[in-house]
Amino acid sequence: MAHVTRLARSAPSSLLCTVSASLCLTGHIARFSGPGPLLRETADESPARSYGELDAAAEIWRRTAVLVLRPSPSPSRLQFFAKLKAMKRFVYINDESYQNDYCDNRISNTKYTLWNFLPKNLWEQFRFVTLSATKEAWDDYNRYISDRQANEKELWIVKNGSRKHIQAQDIQVGNIVWIRENEEVPCDLVLLGTSEPQGVCHVETAALDGETDLKTRVIPPPCVGLEFDQLHKLKGVIECPVPDKDIRRFDANIHLFPPFIDNDICPLSINNTLLQSCYLRNTEWACGVAVYTGNETKLGMSRGVPEPKLTAMDAMIDKLTGAIFLFQLSLVVVLGSAGNIWKDSEARKQWYVKYDDDEPWYQILVIPLRFELLCSIMIPISIKVSLDFVKSLYAKFIDWDEEMFDLENDTPAHAANTAISEDLGQVEYVLTDKTGTLTENKMIFRRCCIGGTSYGNECGDALKDVELLNAIANGSPHVIKFLTVMTLCNTVIPIKSPNGSISYKAQSQDEDALVNAAANLHMVLVSKNGNIAGRMSVVVLDCQSGKILLLSKGADEAVLPCAYSGQQTKTFVDAVDKYAQLGLRTLCLAWRELESEEYAEWSRLFKEANSALTDREVGVPETIEILRQSGINFWMLTGDKQSTAIQIALLCNLISSEPKGQLLYINGRTEDEVARSLERVILTMRITSSEPKELAFVVDGWALEIILTHYSEAFTELAVLSKTALCCRVTPSQKAQLVKLLKSCDYRTLAIGDGGNDVRMIQQAHIGVGISGREGLQAARAADYSIGKFRFLKRLILVHGRYSYNRTAFLSQYSFYKSLLICFIQIFFSFLSGIAGTSLFNSVSLMAYNVFYTSIPVLTTVLDKDLSEKTVMQNPEILLYCQAGRLLNPSTFAGWFGRSLYHAIVIFLITIHAYSNERSEMEELSMVALSGSIWLQAFVVTLEMNSFTFVQLLAIWGNCIAFYAINFFISSIPSSGMYTIMFRLCKQPAYWITLLLISGVGMGPVLALKYFRYTYRPSAINVLQKAERSRGPMYSLVNLESQLRSDKDTMMVPVATTPVKGKSSVYEPLLSDSPMASRRSLGSSSFDIFQPAHSRTSYPRNIKAN
Amino acid sequence: MGKMTKRRLGNSVISAFLLVGVIFVPIGLASLSASKEIVELVDRYDTSCVSVADKVGFIQNSKTDKTCTRTLTVPRHMKSPIHIYYQIGDFYQNHRRYVKSRSDKQLRYKEAAHLTKDCEPEGNTADGAPIVPCGLIAWSLFNDTYKVSINKKAIEVNKKDIAWQSDKNNKFGSNVYPSNFQKGNLVGGAKLNESIPLSEQEDLIVWMRTAALPTFRKLYGRIETDIMENDQLTVVIQNNYNTYSFGGSKALVLSTTSWIGGKNNFIGIAYLTIGGLCIFLAAVFIVLYMIKPRYVMFPLV
């Protein structure tokens, strides 16, 4: 047996502990049989949770479980089972006669069946035209292909005692399945046997939970030691819960039928299972009985496609689309009825139209349906395609961004979710994890306090502390024990490489750090088994002395209360506090000899890692500072203790120390205490909200639990009042709850974290950002965006988020503008064509208008930058425009609506007057109107673009040329309706004069308004643009801030006191003068910077400060 | 540091508006003068040519004499070619039912005579034979005729090449002859000579270029001689076409042409208005700029 921990060289050579253990911790016995010493370990907590909370139902079940042990149940019992089956399932091992109606192991990821594809898909696509149906079908086909590959994989099973070679999809519940090394587990199995004599095997669970370390799985005690042949004949029953998706929990019992030992029920846990999609590693073979198959496996149950995240912008666009749809419907009804009335009163007199006098009743629907057809283009189909396209480009920009490339880890930023870039620009709350997010999560063994003596100094780490080294050399018993605990009490799996060096696969960073530190101190872990969480204990047998030791490690709160009374725990408490204040993560190690009950000496040592001083990630305080300037509120949610969290927060600029800032504590053990504390904090917040003091509240997990259950309303108020919060000792589910709470207040939330405990929060938030750091990739995989370093967040939000928001705001509104434009022209024309629903434009032109002429130029908006990245970074306050949704809201939309109406009127009136009388030929007139639309849209795009690159110019004016080229081409086809039209038009001076007139009349007022506003009522964006255009970004933050504040004062007052609902816009649509704009008088004091007389004295100072 | 310079904003706007004004005003003047040069005579005859009260009854009766003589005085010298148009008001050639009631294939190809699907209700005769040319447009072909004489001397109205050459060559077949046309109970408009191919039926070709607006002019023919000032123009009209039942109007138009096309003051006036407005706006901006100057200060770094 290789469970050997060897303390080499300087350690006393006697401490070669081959350990073996038997332990009974929470009432159940972990038994083992078989030769050789064996190390077993059990969590203190998890069994307690599984068994301590047995409710009545489970008790009843436990009793019935005894009943089933007999192989042939009577019919009445079978009925009884049928009832129970609703709650439980019974798996008869290797016994076809009990075959069941559980699903087989066929997996199916496809969304549709052959029969429901059409109706289901049509329904899903109903809201928008089924452009993506083909893509859906293709994706689903690919899923089907990969499913089939998995389903048809061949493997060995035992069925009714004989071995068979079958396809994975034919596995039935109860079959015994054999898996070889590096094979994927085909369904959820309960482990029965492995090639390893000690009954363990290793699995990689990366596909399931994203953790890359190997996990150890053990054979349930009754099956330990079964021979290969015996496994074929094994019979028994496993009682397990109905399928669920909890991959950390499996509360089941196994009972083997005679002749196999045991008439006892043996409990099973997740450690006895092999779950679907895991890989078997470092083990020659393993076999297990299938308990969940097909889509009922833990993976299958949890696979459910996560709810697609909808951005605030998408929601707004949907809302506007809905409004336009209603508008369209009412137009159809009004025009349809008008058309019918006109038809009856006028058209019947028009003999040349030849209406029948007695026509069928449904003729009354013809005109409304004609108008529906004309107006259907009002909702641009192209908007979805264009938005999908630009969104995928935004995502690519993030992927390609070299400034977000993490050189250290060689990882680029990645946008896994391509659809939500705009939301980045609208973030209002950032919820961040501490460990590894604000800190780099590099665990280094820094300090320890052993038996009252502190090792390690200010700057160096404990490993280099001469005193510690001396103590080891001298074999000081405390220190040796300390190192033993460090080495053994963990879940690290040592892997010996051929050249003899040993590397460790650890489940967590702290364990890795500890074992490596111990290794550096000459305590080398050679081989072991293990697993656990929280506080962890290991029982080892010291072969040398025959003593049984309980080694324990955990957070101070967990360990210290267990310390033997009378010990001088104070030293340790002090040490823990001291270390915590340095921003170090602390752990306590303890050991206890089990044999001699009285003798208990606690050795505690604190080790730590990274967190504070030197390891704090580069650029974190600056990032937080910039993002807070841009109006984003920060909440820190961490599992760390309060003092550590506060320390980190201070170091990260998250909170300010007195007197600039103030921390308000919400604490208490009981409901009353917490309630009082909460009330006090809220009062303080209300009172001081006017003062320029940075307030933050601190709450710990315990109090938070009470608050969230009983005082969630008060807490919501607090959440709205407070810009900063520290939540310590919170669990993953509490993190997610907090996110949910902020979401319910209609804030845009961004959760950022790097560990598995952040996954739920990341999935819950509007935007999840994962740091692809050292703590595994779980968070990064679950996240919408993964970045290498926390400091990239500011670029992600301020640059990518902001640009995305601006661009989408323009693109979506422009799409409506151009569709409305052409639609309005059609409607105006219908008034001149007897309200019968004649289309002015031919179908080719209409199609090309949406697909080519107007789509391509505007796509170059993805390159548009209203302000340079540098300016944005220097003036993060400008993000406010995005956060408050000022560039896309009903009032800006009304501006675009008005503009399209105005342009339609201009085009229509000028066209029908210029091309009247002898020139009023239908094809010519329609082409003049279409050309007018194309010209105007080119000017509009040009006007709305802020930066000009070659690509943009090419797209806009190249598009105009392409318009003529396409129409010349169509005009040269004799069979087309447009034959020769374009050539004729281009020869007429009147055509060009008309177009020039349309452009002048259409753009003149728009331009005048825009420049009037730009000059006399500039927005903050305009101010920065002016600065940029003239001499580079010279405006001081102070001035800009004052302007933004004045914006806020007039418009954003509600922010401070109530949840933001009325996000008013300051962005004035060009054609509708917003009342907001007029509220600010022309010579408003907030624009002092334009008045040379006033501010000249103070201005230079600002410059200098800048 | 700290040394400031002033930069005036707004110059670009003002100059942009001035520029637009400077460009638009000349174009407006040119268009307007071109339009003014054109001599145009418009004579609405539909009411005065029918003196009876029951105008619809009069026009629908095939027995009545529909000859009508109109005398016009030419106000200015008209240079040839002088275009003769007929102008119809409140006639919806752009009506949905009307505009699509034609078969382009049938007009072009002899063998496509049976393609009359879009032409209903003027697709086939009562006994099912296809009408060529089918459809409401052809069926309602304008059938007033004009005989023009100047100072009592009859002159020839050239009705050649009044249709687009491209239509004659590529839209209407030279081997497609009218058949079954206007043979139904209801006669819509003009009848066609069945011995002339469609490509030579220029009145039909002109008529079938449907107008987008309810009031439109279509070319009737050209007068190839100049008409002097104060010449007496006599037009003998066969007033056949029924615009009375729907309250439409008919007018005879004689017009010279210029580079801008027919007489159209709209473009010139619009250009002058916009150009003037731009100059006015520029002036306003300048005044605003004088009264309330906007300075932006930029440091010299």
Side-chain angles (χ1 to χ4, degrees), chain A residues 162-181:
Chain A
S162 55
R163 277 190 93 162
K164 280 185 191 161
H165 200 220
I166 60 161
Q167 290 187 342
Q169 59 185 343
D170 298 324
I171 297 175
Q172 298 286 337
V173 169
N175 294 158
I176 297 178
V177 181
W178 253 264
I179 310 152
R180 277 179 299 236
E181 186 167 0

Side-chain angles (χ1 to χ4, degrees), chain A residues 608-663:
Chain A
E608 191 3 62
N610 136 18
S611 316
L613 308 167
T614 48
D615 317 294
R616 191 184 58 224
E617 196 187 307
V618 194
V620 169
E622 293 77 10
T623 304
I624 291 181
E625 177 65 30
I626 285 181
L627 288 179
R628 295 184 80 187
Q629 275 176 28
S630 66
I632 294 175
N633 301 328
F634 267 86
W635 283 27
M636 188 167 98
L637 317 179
T638 173
D640 280 305
K641 55 184 296 162
Q642 191 164 302
S643 49
T644 312
I646 292 171
Q647 209 57 38
I648 297 283
L650 275 171
L651 288 162
C652 294
N653 261 349
L654 200 59
I655 51 175
S656 319
S657 48
E658 299 271 1
K660 222 178 125 197
Q662 189 183 343
L663 274 181

Side-chain angles (χ1 to χ4, degrees), chain A residues 325-448:
Chain A
F325 181 69
L326 287 181
F327 175 67
Q328 176 190 325
L329 272 188
S330 46
L331 262 185
V332 166
V333 170
V334 169
L335 289 172
S337 340
N340 277 325
I341 292 167
W342 197 87
K343 175 177 131 188
D344 286 331
S345 63
E346 297 293 322
R348 290 202 191 281
K349 291 186 216 154
Q350 287 159 353
W351 53 269
Y352 54 89
V353 181
K354 249 194 170 177
Y355 266 118
D356 279 336
D357 282 335
D358 48 339
E359 41 186 30
W361 64 271
Y362 57 78
Q363 283 291 327
I364 201 163
L365 295 176
V366 169
I367 291 177
L369 285 176
R370 283 283 156 189
F371 277 107
E372 173 56 40
L373 216 65
L374 283 188
C375 295
S376 63
I377 51 167
M378 204 177 256
I379 293 168
I381 304 163
S382 60
I383 192 173
K384 197 164 160 48
V385 184
S386 315
L387 282 182
D388 281 353
F389 176 75
V390 293
K391 280 178 173 194
S392 61
L393 274 180
Y394 300 154
K396 283 280 165 241
F397 288 156
I398 292 171
D399 290 358
W400 293 334
D401 194 335
E402 286 184 8
E403 287 183 45
M404 296 207 298
F405 189 87
D406 185 8
L407 290 170
E408 236 169 85
N409 297 328
D410 210 28
T411 46
H414 176 58
N417 188 342
T418 58
I420 59 169
S421 297
E422 301 90 352
D423 252 10
L424 280 174
Q426 296 198 282
V427 169
E428 289 157 297
Y429 276 85
V430 169
L431 296 104
T432 172
D433 174 41
K434 186 222 75 172
T435 318
T437 305
L438 301 181
T439 61
E440 214 172 345
N441 207 25
K442 197 191 273 173
M443 295 286 185
I444 299 164
F445 182 63
R446 286 221 177 275
R447 302 213 174 175
C448 58

Side-chain angles (χ1 to χ4, degrees), chain A residues 68-82:
Chain A
V68 270
L69 302 181
R70 269 160 266 295
S72 54
S74 67
S76 65
R77 279 194 190 125
L78 281 175
Q79 281 169 1
F80 183 61
F81 289 157

Side-chain angles (χ1 to χ4, degrees), chain A residues 1018-1037:
Chain A
S1019 69
I1021 293 178
N1022 294 149
V1023 174
L1024 289 174
Q1025 279 171 339
K1026 277 185 217 173
E1028 254 182 13
R1029 273 173 206 176
S1030 47
R1031 202 63 73 81
M1034 283 306 151
Y1035 276 84
S1036 73
L1037 287 173

Side-chain angles (χ1 to χ4, degrees), chain A residues 586-599:
Chain A
T586 60
L587 271 180
C588 295
L589 305 193
W591 67 273
R592 164 178 188 189
E593 203 167 316
L594 287 178
E595 273 182 342
S596 47
E597 296 278 317
E598 305 117 299
Y599 178 77

Side-chain angles (χ1 to χ4, degrees), chain B residues 17 21 23 25 32 39 61 91 101 111 114 120 125 143 149 156-157 163 169 194 198 217 219 222 242 258 261 270 282:
Chain B
F17 277 102
I23 294 172
V25 170
L32 203 57
V39 187
N61 189 341
F91 187 101
S101 181
E111 56 279 9
H114 61 284
E120 291 307 326
T125 57
N143 58 356
S149 46
E156 197 206 349
V157 174
N169 293 344
E194 300 204 346
L198 290 187
R217 288 174 188 176
L219 193 56
R222 288 188 199 88
N242 179 9
S258 78

